[in-house]
Amino acid sequence: MEGNRVETSQIRKGPWKAEEDEVLINHVKKYGPRDWSSIRSKGLLQRTGKSCRLRWVNKLRPNLKNGCKFTAEEERVVIELQAQFGNKWAKIATYLPGRTDNDVKNFWSSRQKRLARILQNSGTPSSSSSSSSRSLKVKKQTHGFHDVPVMEAPKLSSSMEELSYSKGQSFSSSYLDNSHSQTTIKAEEFPLPELVNPNLYTDANMAQLELMSRGTTPYAEAQSQVFFPEIPQPQPYLTLSLESQDLLAKFEDPCFSQVFAPMDVPELEGGNLNVVEQPFLEPVTCSAFGAKEEADNPMTPDAFFDDFPADMFDQMEPLPSPSE
DNA sequence: AAGCGGGACAACCGCATTTGA
DNA sequence: TTCAAATGCGGTTGTCCCGCT
């Protein structure tokens, strides 16, 4: 076995072993999360620098919510921020403490697939037949996934001008119209409620819709049960300002990882978070690393804010033309 | 019990951007 | 100023697990 083991000078790929993680963690403890390439050049690991960085960022960083499903609140935030920023996963992830861009990306991808599948079921004329309501798999045989009108996120190549969604404004109808046409939903039989972007369905909604599409729930009844989020009307956002300051303190806490490790759902589910009327979430920096790193990069308050997206404060004004 | 499909997740790849010599 | 290396990011693919038929 050990098909992945390679000789020196070769590059190892595939799943990481615990030993490798340990080496990587030690490196970060010593030098901070940088100089990834030196890990290989020093012969510590036969991994590329990119691979090392990715492993650290996505799995080993101390404040990650590994294994925790996205909460309803996180889901809502992702939906809203995706509508606002497009597929800027890294940016979106900064608003979700403990989540990585990969997490957000995977979450969104899964969600889109699921949504597409649901819509396919609800939109295909045969879907209301008894045969199709029996199983989703039946349809899969007749329509490959790629034939599905995938619920594309609005293409926001460089800007979101069409969204024109900012503080004090309601969601522009152009966005809704746009998404409506882009997705070309065939929903003659189970039309989705008008003027609701399917991208904005929450997980719970989709579950309900899935039932609808399967025909196991009478449409009218199900529709009455589906909650359509008020998105993205300006609304109270979870604000993490206080938490951000806590984070700052925790960065200097050698037990930071323990402090954060069990970080779980309840914190985000409303109880402890201050809900303040603010138009936008504040991103959270997640640069938890060793003491050496701190020594090299003392985290001053200014430095802390330097880590926020430069345009973060621009959003306090009507968005000009958020060109990233 | 076996096969299949979907969901979740980890990791790779290619390109873009930043950094530093 | 230029260029190579390092880093960051988004898209994509592969794998594993679980539930359903």
Side-chain angles (χ1 to χ4, degrees):
Chain A
M1 291 289 275
E2 293 299 312
N4 281 327
R5 184 172 16 211
V6 292
E7 305 306 320
T8 54
S9 86
Q10 286 193 308
I11 296 173
R12 187 180 139 76
K13 293 184 179 180
W16 280 68
K17 294 178 178 179
E19 307 93 85
E20 292 178 298
D21 284 345
E22 199 173 339
V23 170
L24 188 51
I25 289 169
N26 285 335
H27 171 87
V28 174
K29 279 181 184 171
K30 279 186 184 176
Y31 306 105
R34 65 166 79 84
D35 296 333
W36 301 113
S37 297
S38 71
I39 296 175
R40 179 157 170 264
S41 61
K42 289 175 184 170
L44 298 175
L45 290 174
Q46 302 305 318
R47 298 272 186 176
T48 65
K50 287 177 71 170
S51 180
C52 292
R53 176 190 159 272
L54 204 64
R55 180 65 179 174
W56 171 257
V57 168
N58 286 338
K59 290 301 296 180
L60 302 178
R61 236 169 45 186
N63 60 332
L64 296 177
K65 289 183 181 178
N66 280 330
C68 296
K69 292 192 68 173
F70 273 62
T71 65
E73 183 59 33
E74 287 175 309
E75 181 184 3
R76 191 181 64 78
V77 169
V78 171
I79 291 169
E80 293 180 22
L81 293 178
Q82 201 282 338
Q84 185 187 349
F85 299 131
N87 295 358
K88 300 295 180 186
W89 308 123
K91 185 166 189 171
I92 292 172
T94 63
Y95 292 77
L96 296 164
R99 299 296 187 186
T100 69
D101 56 349
N102 215 28
D103 291 336
V104 177
K105 190 166 54 180
N106 283 333
F107 168 75
W108 188 261
S109 175
S110 296
R111 193 173 167 281
Q112 292 298 89
K113 284 181 187 174
R114 188 178 170 199
L115 195 51
R117 194 171 51 83
I118 293 170
L119 287 171
Q120 181 191 14
N121 282 339
S122 68
T124 308
S126 62
S127 66
S128 59
S129 69
S130 57
S131 64
S132 64
S133 66
R134 202 179 307 149
S135 170
L136 294 171
K137 295 171 189 171
V138 176
K139 265 215 221 74
K140 181 79 175 184
Q141 294 170 355
T142 55
H143 306 283
F145 172 71
H146 295 293
D147 299 327
V148 178
V150 176
M151 297 303 302
E152 276 193 285
K155 292 301 180 190
L156 310 165
S157 51
S158 61
S159 68
M160 289 290 295
E161 46 273 323
E162 290 190 21
L163 289 181
S164 61
Y165 148 51
S166 61
K167 181 180 182 181
Q169 293 180 302
S170 59
F171 214 44
S172 90
S173 61
S174 67
Y175 171 48
L176 296 173
D177 294 339
N178 182 35
S179 66
H180 210 71
S181 60
Q182 271 191 340
T183 52
T184 61
I185 305 162
K186 296 178 182 175
E188 295 86 2
E189 295 192 334
F190 286 155
L192 294 170
E194 289 184 359
L195 294 180
V196 172
N197 179 355
N199 276 337
L200 303 182
Y201 287 110
T202 67
D203 201 55
N205 292 351
M206 287 201 290
Q208 189 58 254
L209 286 170
E210 191 156 13
L211 288 178
M212 290 158 61
S213 71
R214 293 184 187 198
T216 54
T217 303
Y219 178 67
E221 177 187 336
Q223 191 180 25
S224 70
Q225 295 170 15
V226 174
F227 165 71
F228 295 106
E230 311 162 5
I231 294 171
Q233 294 282 349
Q235 57 184 299
Y237 281 72
L238 286 175
T239 183
L240 299 174
S241 53
L242 292 178
E243 280 66 20
S244 297
Q245 294 184 16
D246 284 343
L247 273 175
L248 248 186
K250 286 166 184 172
F251 285 161
E252 298 169 5
D253 183 350
C255 300
F256 176 73
S257 60
Q258 285 84 352
V259 171
F260 244 95
M263 187 170 178
D264 210 332
V265 180
E267 290 184 50
L268 276 175
E269 291 201 326
N272 298 330
L273 281 178
N274 300 321
V275 177
V276 177
E277 291 254 348
Q278 282 193 341
F280 292 95
L281 284 164
E282 295 178 18
V284 176
T285 56
C286 299
S287 60
F289 27 80
K292 177 69 162 58
E293 169 70 18
E294 290 171 13
D296 293 341
N297 303 287
M299 191 81 114
T300 66
D302 285 344
F304 177 74
F305 286 107
D306 285 345
D307 282 343
F308 285 94
D311 58 351
M312 167 187 165
F313 300 103
D314 296 341
Q315 295 168 358
M316 302 305 287
E317 303 291 329
L319 283 174
S321 170
S323 51
E324 299 301 326

